[in-house]
Amino acid sequence: MAILGIDIGGSGVKGAPVDTVRGELLADRFRVPTPQPADVTSVADAVAEVAGQFSGYDGVGVTFPGVVVDGVTRSAANVDKSWLDAPAARVFSERLGRPVSVLNDADAAGVAEVAFGAGHDERGLVMMLTFGTGIGSALFLDGTLLPNTEFGHLELDGHDAERRASDRAREQEDLSFQDWAPRVQRYLRHVEMLLSPRLFIVGGGVSKKADKWLPLIDIRTPIVPATLLNNAGIIGAAVTAEQAGGHPGAVRTEADRPGAENVAAGAHEG
Ligand code: BGC
């Protein structure tokens, strides 16, 4: 099925139709710069501009760099504060004239990596972490997403962890990979201690340079770079939109697992 995936990032809003069976883009991505300020109305315009480049798709999924519950954006750590409690799925749906599902950006990237990339066929607890403007997290149990985990905001040495160990922190403080890697290692050891995942997948722009810093990380848990890189958010948004089946904001959760039909019936309303 062809579903349009759109990824809202700090510098660009990018999208493409996705073959959700193969996890591949069906056309080149179209990108517009993220408006500044990135308030709800301006970003909705950018999303509409991206969507306007394509036709013939069967649904739309959009990522957002914050908590998203039932299509409503509940946090805005690195984005305009107009997103706090904004009915994002409704705003985008009205703007595009069709149902749009919305999910957290790291959750989307993780969905794509677990379905088609570095986490394919991995059982047990798998954790995707994206190192970019912030630190995004996505937690999976046997391939099923537990959404909105927000482990980038753990407290580390008295700081919000993403302020110390994100890629933005590395750039802002002009740190070499040798100087930044110990911070990432300290962060990963903390997460490892709390959750004992079976695998860490690291994504975000800096994962393209994984050969420069991953060898410097000494932790017990296996750790691998994401393989879908820039397209993970787009692909994950599309896959999730297909699963949501026209229910804005719905994502596959533990309640959707076989045998949990009664719970799932309530979880997809609205
Ligand atoms: C936000 C997360 C987001 C991450 C990456 C964090 O600041 O709280 O929701 O996934 O940045 O964009």
Side-chain angles (χ1 to χ4, degrees):
M1 196 182 260
I3 306 277
L4 182 62
I6 298 180
D7 194 17
I8 300 174
S11 58
V13 177
K14 39 205 185 296
V18 176
D19 176 337
T20 52
V21 176
R22 292 165 176 266
E24 289 169 2
L25 304 195
L26 290 163
D28 287 345
R29 305 186 318 168
F30 182 79
R31 178 186 188 278
V32 295
T34 303
Q36 298 301 335
D39 55 84
V40 175
T41 310
S42 317
V43 172
D45 288 345
V47 166
E49 190 181 343
V50 172
Q53 304 299 313
F54 304 102
S55 58
Y57 47 83
D58 304 299
V60 186
V62 176
T63 75
F64 175 77
V67 172
V68 186
V69 178
D70 295 336
V72 177
T73 47
R74 295 285 189 202
S75 76
N78 294 309
V79 289
D80 188 81
K81 301 304 171 217
S82 60
W83 286 98
L84 278 176
D85 297 325
R90 199 174 74 212
V91 170
F92 295 146
S93 301
E94 283 172 6
R95 197 74 178 66
L96 302 190
R98 59 192 305 161
V100 175
S101 75
V102 185
L103 83 162
N104 171 264
D105 56 355
D107 283 347
V111 163
E113 291 292 338
V114 163
F116 306 108
H120 187 57
D121 277 345
E122 287 287 342
R123 310 299 294 168
L125 207 62
V126 171
M127 187 157 207
M128 167 102 190
L129 292 167
T130 62
F131 291 84
T133 309
I135 297 178
S137 66
L139 192 61
F140 295 83
L141 180 63
D142 294 338
T144 297
L145 173 68
L146 291 85
N148 291 313
T149 45
E150 293 293 318
F151 281 107
H153 296 294
L154 286 173
E155 187 182 316
L156 199 65
D157 300 328
H159 298 271
D160 189 357
E162 73 173 21
R163 304 244 171 244
R164 300 274 302 154
S166 65
D167 194 39
R168 178 162 70 175
R170 182 181 68 83
E171 285 176 352
Q172 280 184 340
E173 298 182 45
D174 204 14
L175 300 175
S176 66
F177 283 113
Q178 276 74 16
D179 290 337
W180 179 65
R183 296 187 183 189
V184 177
Q185 171 169 305
R186 185 155 165 60
Y187 171 67
L188 290 171
R189 284 192 176 175
H190 191 56
V191 177
E192 180 176 63
M193 181 273 291
L194 291 171
L195 293 171
S196 300
R198 188 164 288 184
L199 176 71
F200 280 120
I201 303 170
V202 289
V206 75
S207 65
K208 276 183 252 169
K209 300 175 196 148
D211 56 318
K212 293 198 167 57
W213 59 275
L214 260 194
L216 306 174
I217 303 287
D218 178 19
I219 55 172
R220 285 201 313 239
T221 310
I223 179 165
V224 294
T227 58
L228 302 168
L229 301 174
N230 282 339
N231 293 332
I234 293 174
I235 295 171
V239 169
T240 305
E242 186 185 9
Q243 289 168 353
H247 296 266
V251 297
R252 191 164 68 108
T253 66
E254 193 60 18
D256 300 318
R257 291 164 63 75
E261 287 80 3
N262 296 339
V263 188
H268 274 187
E269 280 164 14

